[in-house]
Amino acid sequence: MNKRTRRNSPSKVFLALMLVLQGMSPFEIIAEQKMITMWLFIYHLITPYLVFCLKEEGNKGYGPVFEEQPIDTIYPEESSDGQVSMNCRARAIPFPTYRWKLNNWDIDLTKDRYSMVGGRLVINNPEKSRDAGKYVCVVSNIFGTVRSSEATLSFGYLDPFPPEERYEVKVREGVGAVLLCEPPYHYPDDLSYRWLLNEFPVFIALDKRRFVSQTNGNLYIANVEASDKGNYSCFVSSPSITKSVFSKFIPLIPQSDRAKVYPADIKVKFKDTYALLGQNVTLECFALGNPVPELRWSKYLEPMPATAEISMSGAVLKIFNIQYEDEGLYECEAENYKGKDKHQARIYVQASPEWVEHINDTEKDIGSDLYWPCVATGKPIPTIRWLKNGASFRKGELRIQSLTFDDAGMYQCIAENTHGIIYANAELKIVASPPTFELNPMKKKILAAKGGRVIIECKPKAAPKPKFSWSKGTELLVNGSRIRIWDDGSLEIINITKLDEGRYTCFAENNRGKANSTGVLEMTEATRITLAPLNVDVTVGENATMQCIASHDPTLDLTFIWSLNGFVIDFEKEHEHYERNVMIKSNGELLIKNVQLRHAGRYTCTAQTIVDNSSASADLVVRGPPGPPGGIRVEEIRDTAVALTWSRGTDNHSPISKYSIQSKTFLSEEWKDAKTEPSDIEGNMESATVIDLIPWMEYEFRIIATNTLGTGEPSMPSQRVRTEGAPPNVAPSDVGGGGGSNRELTITWMPLSREYHYGNNFGYIVAFKPFGEKEWRRVTVTNPEIGRYVHKDESMPPSTQYQVKVKAFNNKGDGPFSLTAVIYSAQDAPTETPTDVSVKVLSSSEMSVSWHHVSDKSVEGYQIRYWAAHDKEAAAQRVQVSNQEYSTKLENLKPNTRYHVDVSAFNSAGYGPPSRTIDIITRKAPPSQRPRIISSVRSGSRYIITWDHVKAMSNESAVEGYKVLYRPDGQHEGKLFSTGKHTIEVPVPSDGEYVVEVRAHSEGGDGEVAQIKISGAAAGVPTLLLVLVVPTLGVLACSGF
């Protein structure tokens, strides 16, 4: 009895059937005493059929193949589900069985905590201490066992923030601030952060000045403004467990101060990052400073990745689908006119294992050798190990010699590195059988051309490999000068003659049996090219014809195949240039239309039948413009000139008459003709000098050849080179300045563009002196992109006339000075206070402030400060107006609130002393109740609108009357009526619908609005009916009801 028969013994079949049909363990089945008789009856009835099916199954069956494997799962500790599932599903014949392991220990599935649905494991009331870990699904049937990939079950949580109050943060205006989030304990580390302002759900808007780091959750404000005052709370969300928490509020109190400037200071710095191939990578960079610094990203000495995207006003760099070539040093630069800051860190790109070549299901003959290649790529390089039927087997490559039945089973190749693990599963079947030609018999009829060669295949199915012999009729064939029997059983005959026709039989024999198969060989006439193609010489754009005529066996079909330089021509894709004569039998003439240079080469015509073929070739010469020159070298690099050498390209059968040279810099993507010595480069030259170049500039060069037939394609660009440096010869323009803060001299100019730097260590020398003095004071500005210098001197008189000039310099020397400009030092801040300041209350939320101007002509404007009496002066809000204004309106005030108001003058040097403080109380709020429209009655050509009286609350202003706005629907403008009554008449709309808005009016302003739509469409409805119907419709149409 063989192994398969032993596996499928009746007792096992019976037990398997009971388990499947009843879903019980063997002990439960035995306990069901009343069912025993029925099961025995069923067993005796169907056993013969089961044995037959399982025998067939041995041929068609296969081991487990995973269709679904468990995946990493995060179970929220606060979940109310009460269970978690790990999925596992495989297909196999016969049906597989499943078991599970946790941290390499078998799970006892008889416990109530676990249940199985197919291969899916359900854990009831999961606990972190008992159930967290790595799970593996193990699947088996009679052909072997496989293990799933490992899946981790972890427990997610996000604790609340501590209940302690957060300390208030006081920051001077203009200074940067950082509010710390300090997120609570959590898992996993995939939090997202936002910040609340004053109340939920009001989230702060992010812009160039404000940034929330998704690395630590902190809120960064580049420079604090008065409008930043408020209470801030860090709002943390965990997408894995769908939970959010927020911190106690942090009061931010800006301290009033004359805004000062501060250089850029990077506070959000990205670290060295290890990324996996194909992932998306995010880098953060944000700087404090006043004014708000500009952020720039770059990759050191390389262009930025094509998939890089900059967002959040420059603070975030995202690289999508990162590749190995994206690895490198990345730099973030923050700059304002006060200074710059830089930060660098490196991105390392590594990769999880990925299959280059993996194993597949394989059948091997018994006694043969097995080499199963299993290759994976990754960074670091993955290691390879093997499992057989779920148990550890070998490491490295797998080779097995002299296979036996014991080697059959389920194999798993595992590739792993520090970033991951992958599995390749396959079944190895060992086959033993006598030779048989049932699946692949010999051809009954074999054709061979006279004088040609034929190979008769003999490929029976057999294991182990059989020995082969051949016969023709009754004659046994042996290897000779014309006949050879190959190792794979094929028979080769060369120089076919009529005598070779006949019946040929292949005999195959191994240690399990023998078999044979027979076919008949017939000879046909050979195919011959009778009119071969001839060499052709044409010019680009002309047509060419290649002839080809052949003879062949009349019983066979003949086809022609054309190839160019060994590649078959696709006439459908190349129909614009190639056309074949298909009208004349045995004629394969080829027409080449509008010939191009790429069509030149060796053309081969092949005449072919199913038995043999014949070929002939000819050359097509195409004359045209020259090909691109090659081997460009840049030599003798100077500041304004370089020497170029090159090698001639193909002249395409027409001599080269001249060359032209083009250059390109980073300033433009366009190639431009370069000036050369000699100016005309003749066709026999292979060197020239390019002149009039820009010093210290990177260049690429290319060369184009021309002949009498046209201009050819340009050469490949040369290696990028940089010319030598030279002193600058251009002076900065637009030199000027003036103004600024007290005791400052501000000098400005237009920075020179990169093409005028002419060398390294480029910068500016700024010279200045008071008008009339002889000695110039000089300072150096080393940043080539800055066009501003501020000189501070406490002894400097205000509004003093200065002469200034600027020149550029580099490591090669100084350039010329600019023209001398005359500017003035900064003024003093105003010393006078505005007079006759008066404040008039307009409503509950508005007041008007007026004043008399000061006499100082340097004043640029006026600042009005106001703050509620219960607030501190530091929390005052500010409104600034120009020096042309004598009054302004303050809006968005709180009703029935005492306010302090003062006015001060300012100029570029600062603020003057404030006026005396005026106290004033805003009016009570307008009525909050909307008028309730109770009817809308049409009377002839007018509508009569009626509403209930609005009664003000104790803390609201008394109602003085009502305002009614009559406007077309969809427009904001209309006719405004005022009335002290509770009713009003308005005309019936002549066209479309109109809206009637009603609101109460008081000294505190206008109250909430109620509205109703009316139209002239109901002209035919009786007045009495309108009186009954419209009131109800009017109430429904009123907003707010």
Side-chain angles (χ1 to χ4, degrees), residues 62-70 88-91 136-139 144-150 355 357-362 372-374 385-390 398 409-415 421-428:
Y62 55 88
V65 178
F66 280 112
E67 294 184 328
E68 184 178 12
Q69 300 191 53
C88 182
R89 186 174 76 254
R91 69 177 187 274
V136 173
C137 173
V138 182
V139 188
T145 300
V146 290
R147 292 167 58 103
S148 72
S149 55
E150 290 183 344
W355 291 121
E357 185 178 8
H358 62 78
I359 58 176
N360 294 295
D361 289 346
T362 301
W372 236 345
C374 189
R385 59 187 176 92
W386 294 81
L387 302 179
K388 178 185 176 185
N389 292 328
L398 181 62
M410 299 300 300
Y411 287 78
Q412 293 178 277
C413 177
I414 302 174
I421 180 171
I422 52 176
Y423 291 72
N425 305 342
E427 181 179 356
L428 174 62

Side-chain angles (χ1 to χ4, degrees), residues 723-742:
T723 53
E724 292 291 327
N729 62 8
V730 177
S733 60
D734 296 339
V735 176
S741 300
N742 195 16

Side-chain angles (χ1 to χ4, degrees), residues 46-58:
I46 67 174
T47 292
Y49 301 99
L50 281 173
V51 171
F52 171 77
C53 290
L54 288 175
K55 285 183 178 179
E56 289 296 308
E57 186 180 274

